[in-house]
Amino acid sequence: MIEKKLSLDYEQYENGEKIVDLIEQLAGGEESAKLESLIIGDWGGAYENDSSEIVEALVRLNGKFPQLRKLFIGDMSYEECEVSWINQSNVAPLLIAYPELTSLTIKGSTELALEPAIHEKLEELIIICGGLGKQVLASISNGRFPQLKKLELYLGVEEYGFDGGLEDVLPLIEQEKFPQLTYLGLKDSEIQDEIAIALAEAPILDQLETLDLSMGTLTDKGAEALLNSSKARGLKFLDLHYHYMSDEMIAKWKQSGLNVDISDQQKYDDDEDYRYPSLTE
């Protein structure tokens, strides 16, 4: 796969260079016609400059990237910009401009919107953040992705943008919502137990191969519901790594015969105020 990453370092940003200029240079080169994967990294001052100019440029230049299938907006390390500081925008125009796109990854959720959330061929949607707003969740659940095979959402915490509750997550797991879905990640959540309990006997598990509830505040309460679920036993893989399960619960999983990742046990504490998802700030 022909892939390209565009990013500005601090010196380039301070010298007035713009990520849009790099996009236009790429569009004007010979490799643009064959480019299959494009990664947009640090666009300079992402803590104060949003991604709207990037979205506008890629929409305007869509004819220059006829083979583009994978797009990642916001691939930057915490040294470049903390995930909770990354300013996004409405990225839905990219879905319209690139009807052949199969994968879209977004990092950062501040000011993020995905409206309208419609794409006939997208197979993979990933949003990495410290807190995902309920309006974005609603856009996805009310949208149309008939070919979506992988949905991976970092839900995060209220302090960094998660302003919803279980009622905002439940529409995503309605049966036939995503008829081709085989991987569901509702992860990095401060309500991981509630999500696990809701999913334990949800009909959507019948079509899934992988359920990813990792990186959140999962305790024995949510784990017990999954362990006792007949539907969970039909999964090929259950990802629960980074959790707050007790030693006793871990022992039960090891004896379950299920293909489950229960690594990265956090210090168990009965006080939920001292339990945090893996990725927040």
Side-chain angles (χ1 to χ4, degrees):
M1 175 174 284
I2 300 176
E3 182 175 86
K4 182 76 173 182
K5 180 172 181 177
L6 301 179
S7 184
L8 293 178
D9 59 31
Y10 180 75
E11 185 175 342
Q12 288 174 306
Y13 175 60
E14 286 296 297
N15 288 335
E17 294 187 47
K18 295 184 177 182
I19 195 75
V20 170
D21 296 333
L22 299 184
I23 295 172
E24 290 178 344
Q25 290 173 18
L26 179 64
E30 292 183 0
E31 65 180 324
S32 67
K34 298 180 180 180
L35 190 69
E36 298 168 88
S37 175
L38 176 60
I39 301 169
I40 303 295
D42 189 358
W43 52 81
Y47 51 86
E48 58 183 357
N49 301 317
D50 66 28
S51 62
S52 58
E53 289 189 352
I54 296 166
V55 172
E56 186 278 330
L58 289 173
V59 169
R60 172 168 48 87
L61 298 167
N62 64 338
K64 300 292 186 178
F65 304 109
Q67 299 301 318
L68 193 65
R69 299 294 181 267
K70 299 185 69 175
L71 184 58
F72 188 158
I73 306 290
D75 181 23
M76 55 191 88
S77 67
Y78 71 88
E79 291 97 341
E80 293 170 310
C81 188
E82 297 280 6
V83 66
S84 62
W85 294 7
I86 300 173
N87 281 275
Q88 288 286 352
S89 60
N90 187 10
V91 301
L94 294 169
L95 297 176
I96 299 170
Y98 293 90
E100 300 299 320
L101 203 66
T102 59
S103 174
L104 175 63
T105 301
I106 303 159
K107 189 172 184 179
S109 61
T110 300
E111 301 302 324
L112 175 65
L114 192 63
E115 188 63 42
I118 299 172
H119 199 284
E120 298 300 319
K121 295 186 178 181
L122 197 72
E123 298 179 2
E124 180 178 79
L125 177 61
I126 302 170
I127 302 179
I128 304 165
C129 62
L132 191 58
K134 61 183 179 182
Q135 286 199 326
V136 177
L137 293 174
S139 293
I140 296 170
S141 62
N142 293 328
R144 175 175 165 77
F145 296 104
Q147 297 303 316
L148 198 67
K149 297 178 180 178
K150 179 176 182 178
L151 177 63
E152 183 176 1
L153 303 176
Y154 287 59
L155 298 173
V157 299
E158 181 179 2
E159 185 178 359
Y160 293 109
F162 179 68
D163 58 354
L166 182 63
E167 67 276 10
D168 300 291
V169 177
L170 289 178
L172 294 168
I173 66 171
E174 292 177 3
Q175 197 170 24
E176 302 304 323
K177 176 72 70 174
F178 307 111
Q180 301 301 318
L181 198 70
T182 58
Y183 175 111
L184 176 62
L186 297 173
K187 57 196 290 186
D188 192 56
S189 177
E190 63 184 350
I191 60 166
Q192 206 72 69
D193 277 341
E194 294 180 53
I195 293 170
I197 292 169
L199 273 165
E201 297 298 338
I204 196 173
L205 262 63
D206 293 335
Q207 74 183 67
L208 297 181
E209 296 179 359
T210 297
L211 177 62
D212 183 353
L213 303 181
S214 65
M215 299 176 65
T217 59
L218 186 74
T219 69
D220 288 5
K221 184 178 180 181
E224 188 75 40
L226 292 169
L227 190 62
N228 294 332
S229 166
S230 59
K231 290 185 179 296
R233 294 189 172 275
L235 295 168
K236 291 184 177 180
F237 181 55
L238 179 59
D239 192 347
L240 304 179
H241 85 271
Y242 185 99
H243 58 82
Y244 289 83
M245 288 185 278
S246 65
D247 291 341
E248 292 76 14
M249 181 56 67
I250 290 175
K252 289 182 180 180
W253 280 111
K254 289 180 178 178
Q255 297 168 5
S256 70
L258 296 173
N259 184 16
V260 57
D261 184 347
I262 48 174
S263 63
D264 202 6
Q265 179 190 26
Q266 303 301 297
K267 184 179 179 181
Y268 186 82
D269 198 313
D270 289 332
D271 188 346
E272 62 182 25
D273 290 337
Y274 293 93
R275 298 196 294 264
Y276 307 96
S278 177
L279 181 66
T280 54
E281 186 178 5

